[in-house]
Amino acid sequence: MHPAARTRTTFRTGPTPVPQPRSRRIRSLIDADALRVLHRAARVLLDDLPDLTDRLLAVLREQEPAYRTALENDHAATWQEVHRSLRHSVTSLLDPRGTREAAHRCTWRIGSVRAEQGLPLDALLHAFRLGGSLVWQRLVEETTRSEPEDIRLLVHVATDVWNFVDEHCTLVADAYRQAERQLAWRRENRVRLLAAALLDGTSRIADLPETAERLCLPEHGRYVVVAIAGGPPHDLEPGGSAYLHSGAEVDHGIVLVGGEGGEGDGEADRDPLAALGLTAGAPAGRRIGVGSAVTGLAAVGDARRLADLALSICPPEGGTVRLTEHLPEALVVSCPELGATLTERVLGPLLRLEPADRDVLLDTLVAWFACEGSAQRAGERLYCHRNTVLNRLRRCEQLIGRSLARPHDVVEISLALTARRLPRC
């Protein structure tokens, strides 16, 4: 042979052609035979579905306590649920595309219903995997019984069967978790509605047992409501004897302070602020109003109004007002119109003086009341002599036509000063 010709035949460029069409043809034939074997066994399983359902339920009863309880409570409904799920599983082997949507709807419904019933998700997923294992086992058993030589062909469809099981495990878990979120939202919303009705005083007597259960508070006992406005949000940590209801501008804490009998438990009432995670040193700008105690959840609406009344007395810069310590102010604030009338009737002549003169006399009156009627201590507070205080007080008496020696007049002057100080009056 000529060297040049030998060289051309010895050294070739590019890959050697591979007979791909023949290999694909063989693979296609194997797949077709495997599907034929799968379909033949699946049709037998479809005819024997009630027995397959009974077998799966027997396994679940043995291995899953949650399903054991479900079977005891409602055997028929559980049997139908498992039967439908298995029927969709087997028919999906025969017609994957045509039955896909129906199978998905069935699995989604099972996940949603079981979440509402409180069946554990682990038990539900275990049931689906057991169902997949049982279907595969029966496919193998039927093929071994009818055509033993075809058993090797099932290997080629095993991945498809288990992919179906995994797909529906994921689907049922998604449905379960979505239903759980919806249930949690409904429960939380129901609690908020019950608490809002309680605080508004519109709660029905028939709802009180449910309200007590949902809020984890006894229906009978001594309660205080705390109204909270301002300060940094989300820093309150209610304890087990309190419930915090968040509002747009004001939050309200319902606090159990005494025993369930309504007459106390033999000990001093619990501190409502501590029960809500509040301290005496409240953050700047936070205003806290603590109402007086009431008996029973049914009276929480009244307690809320008392707490709001205490909150209205708080100075704008912040602080804590306990209503029981500020009853005169509460009386005035509860009716602003009367407070304004009282201020004008008692202090009117004094208020119409020149500002400088007016402020000196008013400051002297306020200091005298704050020092419990002691002119000496009032003078020390005002940095003036005791006689100066007495002279100013006599002038006040002459202007307003009242005497600081008469108890009735003292009460009127004190309330009028309080009404003038409070912003709503």
Side-chain angles (χ1 to χ4, degrees):
M1 182 180 288
H2 193 279
R6 188 167 55 250
T7 302
R8 283 196 297 271
T9 56
T10 302
F11 299 99
R12 305 173 67 99
T13 60
T16 302
V18 179
Q20 290 293 338
R22 178 179 176 80
S23 176
R24 285 197 296 269
R25 173 67 175 167
I26 293 173
R27 177 64 183 170
S28 298
L29 290 173
I30 292 174
D31 289 346
D33 287 342
L35 287 174
R36 175 180 54 79
V37 172
L38 175 66
H39 289 173
R40 183 181 60 205
R43 281 190 286 270
V44 174
L45 263 63
L46 203 56
D47 293 337
D48 199 27
L49 207 55
D51 179 65
L52 191 64
T53 302
D54 290 338
R55 289 179 61 175
L56 179 53
L57 286 177
V59 176
L60 288 173
R61 184 188 294 275
E62 178 184 350
Q63 297 188 16
E64 277 297 340
Y67 268 93
R68 192 180 310 137
T69 302
L71 285 167
E72 291 172 357
N73 293 338
D74 195 343
H75 183 278
T78 306
W79 193 96
Q80 288 294 336
E81 174 191 287
V82 172
H83 184 267
R84 280 194 301 270
S85 181
L86 288 174
R87 177 164 53 81
H88 283 293
S89 298
V90 177
T91 54
S92 293
L93 300 177
L94 297 169
D95 183 13
R97 292 183 180 179
T99 60
R100 177 183 175 85
E101 291 302 320
H104 279 191
R105 286 195 299 271
C106 176
T107 297
W108 189 271
R109 175 170 173 74
I110 290 173
S112 300
V113 170
R114 287 306 188 183
E116 291 178 358
Q117 294 173 346
L119 185 84
L121 178 58
D122 288 346
L124 185 59
L125 291 173
H126 190 203
F128 268 74
R129 294 190 182 100
L130 285 174
S133 297
L134 182 58
V135 168
W136 176 251
Q137 179 184 339
R138 287 290 291 115
L139 290 170
V140 173
E141 290 175 356
E142 176 56 31
T143 303
T144 302
R145 184 192 64 80
S146 60
E147 300 290 343
E149 66 278 4
D150 289 342
I151 193 69
R152 58 184 177 78
L153 292 172
L154 282 181
V155 175
H156 296 281
V157 294
T159 300
D160 296 333
V161 173
W162 288 107
N163 282 344
F164 177 88
V165 174
D166 288 343
E167 177 186 359
H168 281 259
C169 281
T170 301
L171 191 65
V172 79
D174 289 344
Y176 188 100
R177 294 189 181 102
Q178 179 173 311
E180 265 195 329
R181 288 192 293 271
Q182 291 173 346
L183 286 169
W185 180 86
R186 287 202 295 266
R187 283 193 296 266
E188 182 179 344
N189 194 51
R190 178 62 176 164
V191 170
R192 282 189 55 80
L193 290 174
L194 289 171
L198 203 64
L199 289 164
D200 290 341
T202 58
S203 183
R204 301 185 309 164
I205 294 176
D207 290 335
L208 288 178
E210 181 189 358
T211 303
E213 180 182 356
R214 298 269 188 165
L215 271 57
C216 299
L217 296 170
E219 187 176 346
H220 305 288
R222 286 170 56 78
Y223 286 97
V224 165
V225 171
V226 179
I228 308 157
H234 311 306
D235 65 337
L236 303 180
E237 298 180 1
S241 60
Y243 174 81
L244 181 66
H245 182 78
S246 299
E249 297 180 356
V250 179
D251 300 331
H252 291 93
I254 304 171
V255 184
L256 176 69
V257 295
E260 294 188 22
E263 300 297 334
D265 53 8
E267 301 178 358
D269 282 350
R270 303 180 184 94
D271 181 11
L273 296 184
L276 290 169
L278 292 166
T279 59
R286 170 168 285 168
R287 297 159 49 237
I288 301 172
V290 183
S292 52
V294 298
T295 301
L297 282 178
V300 164
D302 296 331
R304 181 258 178 97
R305 286 187 284 275
L306 294 174
D308 288 343
L309 187 59
L311 184 66
S312 68
I313 301 174
C314 285
E317 63 272 14
T320 299
V321 169
R322 296 178 185 267
L323 189 65
T324 53
E325 299 172 2
H326 296 80
L327 292 178
E329 293 94 325
L331 286 172
V332 172
V333 170
S334 61
C335 189
E337 295 81 4
L338 286 180
T341 301
L342 179 66
T343 301
E344 173 59 30
R345 180 180 177 84
V346 176
L347 301 178
L350 195 155
L351 296 176
R352 286 186 282 275
L353 295 175
E354 291 295 326
D357 198 14
R358 175 197 66 200
D359 291 345
V360 168
L361 294 179
L362 284 173
D363 289 345
T364 302
L365 272 175
V366 170
W368 185 79
F369 275 100
C371 295
E372 300 177 344
S374 170
Q376 180 67 37
R377 284 190 286 140
E380 294 172 358
R381 174 175 292 196
L382 296 170
Y383 303 103
C384 64
H385 194 272
R386 170 180 178 276
N387 290 339
T388 302
V389 171
L390 292 174
N391 289 333
R392 292 176 183 173
L393 293 176
R394 278 194 292 271
R395 188 179 174 207
C396 287
E397 290 176 318
Q398 292 169 357
L399 284 169
I400 63 179
R402 283 166 174 79
S403 170
L404 292 174
R406 288 197 296 267
H408 181 271
D409 290 353
V410 170
V411 170
E412 281 194 334
I413 296 169
S414 175
L415 288 176
L417 289 171
T418 299
R420 181 181 178 276
R421 177 173 57 84
L422 296 174
R424 290 195 177 187
C425 297

